[in-house]
Amino acid sequence: MINKILPYSVIIIFVIIFFIFYKSLEDSKIYTPDTYSKKDLPVFNTKDFFSGENVKSSSIFELDKIYLLNIWSSWCVPCRQEHSLLMNLSSDNKLNVIGMNYKDNLKNAQNFLKELGNPYKEIFIDLDGTTAIEWGAYGVPESFLIINNEIVKKYIGPLNQKLIDEINLLIE
Amino acid sequence: MKVLKFFLIIILFLPISSLDAEEYEKRNKITKNLRCLICQGQSIYDSDSEFANSLKILVDKKLSEGLSEDQIYEYFKSKYGEWILYDPGLNKNTYILWLLPLLIFLVGGAIIYKSFIVKK
């Protein structure tokens, strides 16, 4: 009995292994972060960009409102590219654009806003980059669409017109 | 009296310094097991990128808050997913990785048993 089962089971196991490996050949080998799954907002303490006062995250984000949190920095070149798009977005009353100033020099950041305009309703500071990690961010620029205190979508890298259209569709 | 004071100071400092070393080891162990997500192929410990440096600060912060190693892994896993850990646990994506060697070992053992030991 064992004589018969063994060769068959060996063949079956090899076929299964072959298919698993064959299937994983097609998977992307490049790490792609999960940008779709909904997540709750992180809780953190930070400082206000303009006044320098301590702020709690719960006082920035209110329920029933739609926010776009944008991580930016004056030293980040792609942030300059997406800035005009953020300016357009901020004119939409439905969407509140919030800024997180990432590892920046305050003076440079202020000059950046003076030069290109300020699309943000509120800005808070992340001096050592730890608040960005609370958000699960990778770097600058990065944007989070927040509806009802829940992160609905994450955009890694600079925004473009296609993504802006997508945001407009999502918040309708 | 002076001698007593001297010993008192030494006794006071001894446990603190050994605790620091322990903490340092633990921090190194944790940062070596965390993957730098924007500089792939390097651990947080190896990397000097902005992302890695912030993560190191956060590991220190979490350690000083008294979180255990597993709690810290769990925290980063909740933020970035299983990919951030170099030593992934058993789940639906990794079970093959864990069970395959065991399976091969059993099948190989059965073949050896059958063809060499039973034949005798």
Side-chain angles (χ1 to χ4, degrees), chain A:
Chain A
M1 187 64 186
I2 289 176
N3 282 346
K4 276 182 183 171
I5 292 172
L6 204 64
Y8 283 122
S9 56
V10 168
I11 290 167
I12 289 167
I13 286 170
F14 271 100
V15 167
I16 291 171
I17 292 169
F18 174 80
F19 272 104
I20 288 167
F21 283 155
Y22 184 75
K23 211 180 154 279
S24 25
L25 268 180
E26 290 168 0
D27 285 352
S28 166
K29 301 293 171 296
I30 302 159
Y31 172 60
T32 33
D34 175 20
T35 54
Y36 276 99
S37 63
K38 289 187 178 184
K39 270 185 185 159
D40 290 334
L41 289 191
V43 181
F44 56 91
N45 292 317
T46 177
K47 274 190 173 140
D48 187 76
F49 180 77
F50 296 108
S51 64
E53 282 170 21
N54 291 323
V55 205
K56 274 185 183 167
S57 59
S58 52
S59 68
I60 301 172
F61 300 99
E62 287 171 35
L63 215 75
D64 307 330
K65 278 192 179 169
I66 302 170
Y67 296 94
L68 186 81
L69 175 83
N70 178 251
I71 305 177
W72 67 283
S73 195
S74 67
W75 49 261
C76 140
V77 180
C79 297
R80 276 176 187 272
Q81 290 168 15
E82 66 167 12
H83 206 80
S84 59
L85 294 169
L86 285 173
M87 290 299 284
N88 292 340
L89 264 184
S90 68
S91 57
D92 186 352
N93 284 328
K94 235 180 181 176
L95 188 72
N96 301 291
V97 184
I98 307 283
M100 188 202 286
N101 189 229
Y102 179 80
K103 288 190 176 179
D104 208 352
N105 174 300
L106 192 67
K107 199 137 206 177
N108 293 345
Q110 282 166 347
N111 286 338
F112 180 91
L113 292 181
K114 223 180 260 170
E115 188 190 326
L116 299 167
N118 180 9
Y120 307 111
K121 282 239 164 79
E122 254 176 275
I123 306 176
F124 56 88
I125 300 173
D126 181 19
L127 212 56
D128 57 6
T130 49
T131 316
I133 288 171
E134 294 277 354
W135 282 82
Y138 296 82
V140 274
E142 203 163 318
S143 306
F144 298 82
L145 188 66
I146 300 147
I147 301 176
N148 274 340
N149 271 0
E150 213 176 38
I151 301 170
V152 177
K153 185 96 208 275
K154 182 157 101 173
Y155 299 96
I156 296 161
L159 295 168
N160 52 41
Q161 196 52 51
K162 207 176 139 199
L163 295 175
I164 297 287
D165 293 343
E166 191 190 305
I167 291 172
N168 283 326
L169 252 170
L170 280 169
I171 61 174
E172 254 171 31

Side-chain angles (χ1 to χ4, degrees), chain A residues 2-3 6 10 13 17 20-21 31 39 42 75 102-103 128-130 132-139 154, chain B residues 37-38 40 50-51 53-55 57-58 61-62 75-76 78-80 83 96 100 103 107 110-111 114:
Chain A
I2 289 176
N3 282 346
L6 204 64
V10 168
I13 286 170
I17 292 169
I20 288 167
F21 283 155
Y31 172 60
K39 270 185 185 159
W75 49 261
Y102 179 80
K103 288 190 176 179
D128 57 6
T130 49
I133 288 171
E134 294 277 354
W135 282 82
Y138 296 82
K154 182 157 101 173
Chain B
L37 294 177
I38 56 164
Q40 284 171 29
E50 295 285 346
F51 177 78
N53 286 335
S54 302
L55 231 75
I57 295 171
L58 211 60
K61 217 162 130 187
K62 295 284 164 193
Y75 169 78
F76 286 117
S78 73
K79 301 288 175 199
Y80 292 99
W83 179 258
I96 282 280
L100 200 61
L103 211 69
V107 171
I111 291 170
K114 202 184 128 265

